Amino acid sequence: MLDIRLIREKPDFVSERLATRGGSDEAKIAEVLRVDAERRKIETQLQRLQADRNRLSKEIGAKRSRNEPSEELEVQVRKIGDEIGDLAQRASALDQEQRNLLLEIANLPHESVPIGKDPSGNRVVRSWGEKPQLSDPADHVALGQKLKILDLERAAKLSGSDFICFTGAGARLERALINFMIDLHTREHGYTEISPPFLVRRDCMIGTSQLPKLEAEMYGLEENQLFLVPTAEVPLTNLHRDEILNVADLPRKFVAYTPCFRREAGAAGRETRGIIRVHQFDKVELVKITMPEKSYEELESLTANAERVLQLLGLHYRVVELCTGDLGFGSAKTYDIEVWSPGQNAFLEVSSCSNFEDFQARRMHLRFKDRDGKNRLCHTLNGSGLALPRLFAALIESYQQSDGSVRLPEKLRDYFGAEKIEMTKHE
RNA sequence: GGUGAGGUGGCUGAGUGGUUGAAAGCAGCGCUUUGCUAAAGCGCCGUGCUCCAAAAGGGCACCGAGGGUUCGAAUCCCUCCCUCACCGCCA
């Protein structure tokens, strides 16, 4: 959520910056300004009447205590009370309207973000490693079938298309990767491990800005108004919602494993083959809550922390800086980390590291008390560290051997309990 | 799920209809005293919104949330949420 004061004071600047995302929010800006002006007008009238009422009511009290008649005043105040009721209703309706409008206006891109309409405007900022030399690489679906570590047919039987069922060594590999990543981030990168609820209230979803915009993509339980988390970003960032943190406690750094649930209406095709895009997937997520002065520094280190996973696994990847047109709704700046998938012959996004600045913090009233004792909004950041299915796919594709087995990178062997995944007769 | 008790400022905790935005204590900040530390004394010390070009300074709202009663509600009534305790059920 943007600061209404910024919109009020620099509407042209805000509109211009929003326009770089493509899709015009200018109408919304004009609308929110209109509502804001009206709201303040009504509130001022309302407050004058309330001041009158307070003053006269005190007089009534004083008169009564002196046993003087007060009926005249009472009649007068009752009349004021009616007007107040009217105005109060209008004021709160306007207030609600203003908030609803603000909730649907995207964040301003950071000034360093390249201007662009669509993904073609993104900029590769670095890459690491090299494509593995494989003559005719099988993709993860074929490998998974042969090795009996992935059973998409039966997953579909259980839950429909675009669900995953890992079996045997596949399930174990998934678990090994989760443990490996969480250990890395807690032991070497200083994150605190959290095991949060997988169901959260609507307020949390609004706080991290999945709602109201993306309601159609979320799974919800209507009867008790809970949502299945689309990412651990939601519970982790909301941990300190409605709190005022001590500056000495910043930055807060959290890591969590959760499943992620998404409707993802997208069409089937090569982009969605196998386990690349599914309705439920596992992810290890990193979240930081920082003071504003430090957030861009923290974005760099967060991205580096996520990259470290791929480096230790020896997987080729690149880091892409998203342009204004490809930026997520709440993000001011985002780096995507894309791992090389020999099977798809393409880079796959396994992490999206973003700085939301105070966009989420304003929605969730997440503040800190600075050294002067002033309350200020925190900045929030998050990034996957990393998303499992695509990592799984890239990993087995990259490390496939000519005999059809998969030789695991060193770092994973202890976690997995073996050096390689081989064909088995039975599952 | 049932019963009971409760939800007040950073914390503890008073307050059952009128100058209470809220006693008191703790913590915090400033000043004074002081060889250092400690202690003592004095003062300051919630948040949001709004008026004013702005500062200074006003005003309004907020005692879990939302309604209601009343001239006036932290205080009375209703609904909901949450916490705690016990019981039931259960991996």
Side-chain angles (χ1 to χ4, degrees), chain A residues 19 22 62 71 93-94 119 136 142 156 185 219 230 239 255 265 273-274 284 326 344 381 384 395 403 422:
Chain A
E71 289 77 24
L94 285 164
D136 182 24
H185 295 309
Y219 285 105
L239 275 177
V255 57
R273 175 163 167 74
V284 169
D326 203 23
Q344 314 293 303
L381 301 85
S384 331
L395 184 80
D403 65 358
E422 293 177 282

Side-chain angles (χ1 to χ4, degrees), chain A residues 17 253 311:
Chain A
R17 291 304 293 159
K253 296 163 68 174
Q311 291 168 8

